[in-house]
Amino acid sequence: MTTRTNSMRFFCSILALGFVGCTSTMPPPFPPNNPANPEARVPMNAPPNLFAHDETTLAVQAELSRTEKAAKSSESMQNMSHGDMPGMQPSEMKPQAPKDAPTSAQVQQEKKQVAEEMKKTSDEMEKTSKQLERKTGPQKPQAFYYTCVMHPQIHENQPGKCPICGMTLIKKEGVPPK
């Protein structure tokens, strides 16, 4: 039993020595002039001036100053006094009708003519429609239609090809569903 206790102590002491040895080691030294090393003296360059003006910035500023000058000059023109210019006072300004403008009597007469022409055309169309109804008689719906086997939503009054797949339309009896 003593040997067993001695071997256990020996093993524990080696294990403890290994832990102590691991914790006491230092990390490897930094290479010279490494910025992470607090003792290193690395000369720092000043960052580039972010507020320096490049060509684009200068061109934009020049355009903005021209626009600002134009805006100021137009504002000053709006506040200009027209006191010495004849016809420029609001009380002197009067709207003038164009020289070739029709009179109200002419406008009313033209409206009447247009209304009469429209009534005449409407009457003629109604007369023609009634004549066609008498000649053709009441229309009966077709008792058949043409449809596609693959696309039953296709309904045609005459034979032909399906516009979707190109198959020949078949004849179906009855009125097509709506």
Side-chain angles (χ1 to χ4, degrees):
M1 177 142 178
T2 44
T3 50
R4 191 171 178 180
T5 309
N6 286 342
S7 64
M8 187 75 124
R9 283 185 188 170
F10 178 70
F11 179 72
C12 288
S13 63
I14 290 177
L15 188 63
L17 187 61
F19 281 131
V20 172
C22 289
T23 58
S24 65
T25 60
M26 294 292 293
F30 290 112
N33 296 331
N34 186 331
N37 186 356
E39 298 171 3
R41 303 257 179 211
V42 179
M44 295 212 26
N45 296 338
N49 187 357
L50 299 177
F51 300 110
H53 301 293
D54 60 349
E55 293 175 17
T56 306
T57 306
L58 293 174
V60 167
Q61 285 178 342
E63 183 64 31
L64 287 174
S65 68
R66 280 195 298 270
T67 306
E68 185 178 8
K69 288 176 187 173
K72 284 182 181 178
S73 69
S74 68
E75 285 176 5
S76 66
M77 289 178 131
Q78 286 178 354
N79 298 330
M80 214 167 85
S81 170
H82 300 292
D84 58 343
M85 301 173 93
M88 294 303 288
Q89 287 73 27
S91 60
E92 295 177 7
M93 293 184 182
K94 295 177 184 166
Q96 296 178 355
K99 293 177 183 175
D100 298 336
T103 63
S104 63
Q106 290 173 332
V107 170
Q108 292 299 326
Q109 184 180 3
E110 189 175 340
K111 283 183 179 180
K112 283 182 182 179
Q113 288 176 349
V114 169
E116 288 173 5
E117 287 178 24
M118 289 175 63
K119 175 82 169 121
K120 190 182 205 181
T121 304
S122 174
D123 292 343
E124 288 176 8
M125 289 175 64
E126 191 175 329
K127 182 180 174 184
T128 306
S129 175
K130 287 181 181 179
Q131 287 176 352
L132 284 172
E133 283 179 10
R134 275 187 256 130
K135 285 182 181 178
T136 58
Q139 292 289 324
K140 295 178 185 175
Q142 267 186 326
F144 60 90
Y145 64 99
Y146 293 89
T147 187
C148 177
V149 176
M150 298 300 292
H151 304 99
Q153 70 269 24
I154 303 298
H155 306 130
E156 297 290 338
N157 295 333
Q158 56 196 14
K161 301 281 184 184
C162 174
I164 298 172
C165 65
M167 291 179 63
T168 303
L169 299 178
I170 60 165
K171 188 175 183 178
K172 282 258 186 156
E173 296 297 325
V175 180
K178 298 227 176 203

